[in-house]
Amino acid sequence: MSTSACEISARIVEAVMAQKLAPGSRLGEQQLAMLFDCSRTIVREALTRLAARGIVTVSARRGWFVIEPSQDEAREAFEARRVIELGLIRSAGSTGKLDKAALRQLKAHLQREKSALKESDVGNRSFLLGDFHVCLAECLGNTLLADTLRDFTARTTLIAMLYQSTHDAVQSCEDHVQIVAALERGDHAAAEALMAAHIGTVQSALRVQAPTDPLAQLRDALAPLQNSAAPKSRRRKPAALSHENTPDDIPDSSTYLGALL
């Protein structure tokens, strides 16, 4: 039985969250169709859905690729997560403590995170740390925002890979433990503050460079040389080369270029 478009898109998002698909990875329709034993039409449907969700992008001539978020897109993704996650926790505060089933689900997820930290499977660890936020949204009773968070978490995972995040996985897990503990005792204000600090710490760990001059390299290469202020006698137009020319008759090429610039 062939794989559905929904299953293919879910597998790609999982691979992104597990850091198995890097930013800019090419997603060939034919290769995916062979891998999932389905038609290219099904693959194209899955990739189109992911493009609408901001996970992949398409070029008319080059094909499908995992997105490579810009610095502005990285900032916006973290801002969106703040709005969603802090808002979820604040809204849940009006209903009191989480029910026992939700707490059991969150604690089970934390246990899987702790186990993953002891293992060598970096992909599983990365996926679980990101999926905590999706699990939390589900436990807070909003599956629609949980789906949205899954996409934003995938995007921030790509951002962490692209900008070489230095954030510690152990610290992430500990942050999650403290957030759940605050929710368990009904202290939603503390949980909200902890989540805000957690997202801020993850964002600050990115090695985002200051904006650079896109023409810097060309500007440096074509800047006038120091000896461009040569005597006027050296700035005349090049003489036609012949056996009568002496070395002094031939203008210095670098000086001539510098004078033109």
Side-chain angles (χ1 to χ4, degrees), residues 33-54:
M34 293 172 61
L35 180 64
F36 290 108
D37 188 25
C38 64
S39 68
R40 291 181 64 173
T41 301
I42 298 296
V43 169
R44 197 174 298 116
E45 181 184 346
L47 294 174
T48 301
R49 291 181 182 183
L50 290 176
R53 293 162 59 183

Side-chain angles (χ1 to χ4, degrees), residues 191-205:
E192 185 179 340
L194 287 166
M195 181 63 79
H198 171 63
I199 295 174
T201 300
V202 174
Q203 183 176 7
S204 64

Side-chain angles (χ1 to χ4, degrees), residues 116-129:
L117 290 174
K118 300 176 183 178
E119 300 170 355
S120 58
D121 190 344
V122 177
N124 186 46
R125 180 184 69 194
S126 174
F127 174 79
L128 287 170
L129 289 173

Side-chain angles (χ1 to χ4, degrees), residues 143-201:
T143 55
L144 180 61
L145 285 180
D147 289 338
T148 302
L149 265 179
R150 183 177 289 104
D151 292 345
F152 278 117
T153 302
R155 294 181 73 173
T156 50
T157 299
L158 290 170
I159 290 163
M161 296 172 69
L162 188 62
Y163 296 105
Q164 301 177 342
S165 174
T166 60
H167 190 60
D168 184 18
V170 175
Q171 182 58 53
S172 267
C173 182
E174 180 56 33
D175 290 350
H176 296 169
V177 170
Q178 292 182 23
I179 291 167
V180 172
L183 290 172
E184 183 175 17
R185 63 177 182 264
D187 191 347
H188 289 76
E192 185 179 340
L194 287 166
M195 181 63 79
H198 171 63
I199 295 174
T201 300

Side-chain angles (χ1 to χ4, degrees), residues 92-108:
S94 60
T95 62
K97 295 183 179 180
L98 290 181
D99 60 50
K100 293 182 179 180
L103 281 171
R104 281 197 301 269
Q105 185 177 342
L106 284 170
K107 288 183 177 181

